[in-house]
Amino acid sequence: MPIMNCSGPPCLRQPKKLCRVVSVTGASLVVMLAIFHNRAHAQKPARIEPIVVSASRIPTPAAETPGSTTVIAREQIEARQPISTIDLLRQIPGLHIDQPGGRGSVSSVYIRGGDPNFTLVLIDGVKVNDPTNTRGGSFDFSTLDIGSIERVEIVRGPLSSIYGSDAMGGVINIVTRRGTAEPEYSVEGGGGRHGYYRTALEARGPLGTADYAVNAAYIDAGSPVKGSAFTSKSFTASVNIPPSDTTSLRLMSRYVDNDSEAFPDDSGGPDFAVLRDVDDRNSQELTAAAQFDHEISPEWTYTLKASYYKRQEDTSSPGVAPGVRDPVGIPANSSDNSFRRTRFVASSLISPAESVRVTVGFDAQFEEGSRDSVLFVGGAPVPSRFELDRTIYAPFVEAQYSSPIGLTILGGVRIDFPDDFDPEVSPRVGTLYRIKSTQTTIKANWGEGFKLPSFFALSDPIVGNPDLKPETSESFDVGVVQDLWATGAHISATVFHSRFFNIVDFDEGPPPRLVNRSEVTAKGIELGLDVQPVDTLRIDAHLTYTETDIKGTNEELRNRPQWRGGINTVWRPNTDLVLNLGMLYVGEVLDSSIPTGDRTLGDYVRVDVASTWTPTPHWRISVAVDNLFDTDYEEAVGFPAPGITPRVAVRLSF
C-alpha cells in the first residue's frame, strides 16, 4: 500500500527512440495529407459540434470554446469498442494513462504532466474524487462501465474558476446515457480471452411527457495478468421531466459495487514481488443528482442543482517486502474508508446583449470522511483512525463576449472559503479568434488552480501533516486550429506551460510524513489531425511532447513519457458494418519499485482493432482484438500488460 501516488522517488527520463514516434505518427500524418489533398474538391461532410458543459458554465459549442477541449461521442465509443473507459481515454492528446497489469489495479490519468489527483472527475456533473484515499484524491477510471457512457468531455488546463479545489490540471466529465423519444430496449452479452465476460441490460424511452434511461451491467475481467482480478456490478438511471415548456427537471443516479485484486503498488508486481499474496479491495459508490432549469425569458435562465456522493472502500494488503529502494518495506495493512459529499449550486445565466452572456452563482460543498486502518508491525496490530469534515462556500462569476468579427473572450473568477484555510481566488481568461477568410482559429488561455490537502494527507496518524498548505497551479496555452481544404479536415497545434507549487510529497524522515516542498513545471506541445474525406471514413491522429522538471533538484518525475502519439481510423463501408483501427505509441518512462529501485520502461506500440456488424435492426455483433500483435510492455515495474485479447459481444434490441 503506497502512501501516495508520489510516494516513490520522482521521475521522467527522456526516451531515446524519437525515430519510432516519427515512423508511427509522423509518417501516418504525411500519408493522410496526401490522400486528403487528392480529395480537396470533395464535398465537405456536415458536422454537428457538440455542446460542451464542463469547460464553462456558459454552454458553448466545442468549436467555439476557448479552452483545450476534446469530446468523445457515443458514436465513437461504439466504433472503437474499448474494453474499459481507460482504453477509451488512451487516444486523447495531452493524456497519459497507466494501469499496472490488469483491471484489478488502480488506474491513473495524467493530464499534461500533472499528478492524477490534479484532475477533477465528474459523473453527470457530480464530483467523484475521494480525499480519504492514499492517492491524494485521484479517481480510478477502471470502475466505470463503458456501456453506460453517452459521451466524455476532457478539458485540459486549470478550471478552479468553475469547480474550485481539485481542478488544477484539468477536468474529465462523464455523461451517462439519456432518454429517447421512442422506446429502446436491449440485452447484451459478450466474452473473451483470460475469462473476460460482460452482460448488460438497457431500457430507454418516453415516460408520459418525460423520458428515462436505465442501464445495468455485470463485468468479470477474468485474469489477464497473474494476480489480477476484477468484478463489477453497476446501475445507472436518469429521468428528464419537463414540468412546462420553460422548465426542466433532471434526476440522475449511479450505483456500483466493485471487487478487485492485484499485487500492491511498488511491489514489483507478478515479476518481482517477494510476497506473493495480493491486495484485496471492495468498494461501493453512490451518486445522485437533481437539476432544475427555468427559462424566465430568452435573456434570463437560472439553474439549481443538488448532488450527493458516497464511497465506501475496504482494503487488505500483504504489504511489500524490503528491497533495493526501501530497506524497511511496507507492512501488512488493512483499512476501511468512508466518505460523503453533499453539494448545492445555484447559478443564473443572463444575456444583457446579444453578444454578451454572464453567469453568477454560489456553490456550497459539505464533505465528511473517515479512515480506520491497521498496520501489522512485527506481527502486532497497530490500529489508527482519523475522521474529518470540511465545508466550502464559493461565489463565482463568468462572462463571455462574442463579436461579429469572430472574436470570443471568456473570463471568470471564483473565491473559495474552505474551513481552516485562507480563501482561494481562482481567475481564468480565455480568448478565441476565428479568421473566416483562411478558416483559422487561434486560441489562448490562462488560469490558476488549487487543490486542498486530502483528508488522508492532513489526518493520517502515521504520515499525516495538519500544517500542509494547498497545492496551486498556474497555466497557459496557445493553440491554432486550421481547416484544410474542403474535406472537413482540421489540424491543430497547442503549446502549453504549467507550474505547480507546494506539491505534497513523502518525506521518509524520521519521522515519515507528508510535506509541501516541490515546484514542478510541465511544458510541451499537442498536435492533432482529424479528417473525414468522405462520409464513410474518419481518421484522427495526435502527437504529444511533454517535458517536466522538479525545480532545485536532479530528481525526475515518474510515469510521464515525453512522447506519446496515436492514430484511430473508423471506416463504414456500408450501413451495416463499422471497422476501427487504433494504433498507440508511448515513449520510455521512468518507474520504480521497492525490490528493484528505479527502472526505465521501454517504449511500445500497441494496435487494437474492432468491427461492428448490424445484420438486422435488432441484432448487433461486435468483434474486437486488443493488443493485436501481442506487444510485450509494462506500464509499471513488474506488471506486464495483458497480451492479445480477442473479444466478441452480441446485442439484441427490441
Side-chain angles (χ1 to χ4, degrees), residues 477-489:
D477 60 63
V478 178
V480 177
V481 181
Q482 179 64 57
D483 293 357
L484 299 177
W485 311 299
T487 61

Side-chain angles (χ1 to χ4, degrees), residues 18 165 214 498 502 535 590:
L18 178 58
S165 179
V214 176
S498 302
N502 292 325
D535 290 344
L590 182 69

Side-chain angles (χ1 to χ4, degrees), residues 21 25 89-97 542-545 561-566 584-587:
V21 181
T25 305
L89 294 175
R90 292 184 188 277
Q91 288 284 6
I92 303 300
L95 265 68
H96 173 59
I97 315 293
H542 64 95
L543 178 64
T544 301
Y545 171 79
Q562 279 194 330
W563 290 100
R564 199 173 187 280
L584 177 70
Y585 169 82
V586 178

Side-chain angles (χ1 to χ4, degrees), residues 3-5 117 130-131 133-138 166 451-452 454:
I3 290 179
M4 288 192 68
N5 184 61
N117 58 357
D130 176 8
N133 66 36
T134 60
R135 294 169 175 266
S138 64
D166 297 342
K451 181 185 181 306
L452 296 173
S454 71

Side-chain angles (χ1 to χ4, degrees), residues 146-160:
I146 194 72
S148 66
I149 298 175
E150 182 68 33
R151 73 175 186 274
V152 182
E153 300 176 354
I154 302 102
V155 187
R156 296 172 284 276
L159 287 177
S160 290

Side-chain angles (χ1 to χ4, degrees), residues 152-373:
V152 182
E153 300 176 354
I154 302 102
V155 187
R156 296 172 284 276
L159 287 177
S160 290
S161 63
I162 301 174
Y163 300 105
S165 179
D166 297 342
M168 278 179 58
V171 171
I172 298 178
N173 184 33
I174 310 291
V175 180
T176 59
R177 300 284 272 164
R178 294 293 187 254
T180 54
E182 298 294 331
E184 296 181 6
Y185 310 100
S186 67
V187 56
E188 183 173 346
R193 191 186 177 199
H194 309 301
Y196 166 83
Y197 69 89
R198 175 182 177 271
T199 58
L201 300 172
E202 185 176 76
R204 301 194 297 161
L207 193 66
T209 59
D211 63 69
Y212 75 97
V214 176
N215 179 284
Y218 177 80
I219 300 170
D220 187 334
S223 299
V225 175
K226 187 175 182 179
S228 176
F230 175 83
T231 60
S232 175
K233 299 179 285 290
S234 63
F235 175 84
T236 61
S238 70
V239 179
N240 184 46
I241 305 170
S244 69
D245 292 340
T246 60
T247 59
S248 69
L249 174 64
R250 181 174 296 279
L251 307 175
M252 298 158 284
S253 66
R254 169 181 176 264
Y255 176 79
V256 60
D257 187 334
N258 300 308
D259 285 293
S260 306
E261 292 182 4
F263 281 95
D265 289 350
D266 286 343
S267 68
D271 291 348
F272 302 110
V274 176
L275 304 178
R276 304 308 293 177
D277 291 333
V278 297
D279 284 357
D280 188 355
R281 293 184 293 123
N282 173 257
S283 64
Q284 299 89 36
E285 288 184 10
L286 171 67
T287 60
Q291 179 170 321
F292 178 76
D293 296 282
H294 182 197
E295 181 182 295
I296 298 175
S297 70
E299 296 79 25
W300 183 17
T301 63
Y302 70 86
T303 298
L304 304 174
K305 185 170 184 177
S307 65
Y308 177 77
Y309 172 66
K310 180 180 180 180
R311 178 178 172 84
Q312 181 79 34
E313 182 178 69
D314 301 315
T315 66
S316 63
S317 174
V320 180
V324 172
R325 198 188 76 198
D326 188 338
V328 177
I330 300 174
N333 59 85
S334 64
S335 65
D336 180 0
N337 291 12
S338 179
F339 178 72
R340 290 183 294 274
R341 178 187 294 113
T342 306
R343 193 175 186 183
F344 301 96
V345 180
S347 62
S348 180
L349 177 62
I350 305 168
S351 302
E354 184 177 352
S355 59
V356 178
R357 293 189 292 173
V358 179
T359 293
V360 295
F362 189 80
D363 187 342
Q365 183 174 278
F366 309 91
E367 299 178 324
E368 54 182 306
S370 64
R371 177 183 174 89
D372 290 286
S373 59

Side-chain angles (χ1 to χ4, degrees), residues 4-22:
M4 288 192 68
N5 184 61
C6 54
S7 62
C11 84
L12 181 58
R13 188 164 298 168
Q14 295 185 1
K16 302 175 181 177
K17 299 182 181 179
L18 178 58
C19 58
R20 188 177 299 185
V21 181
V22 176

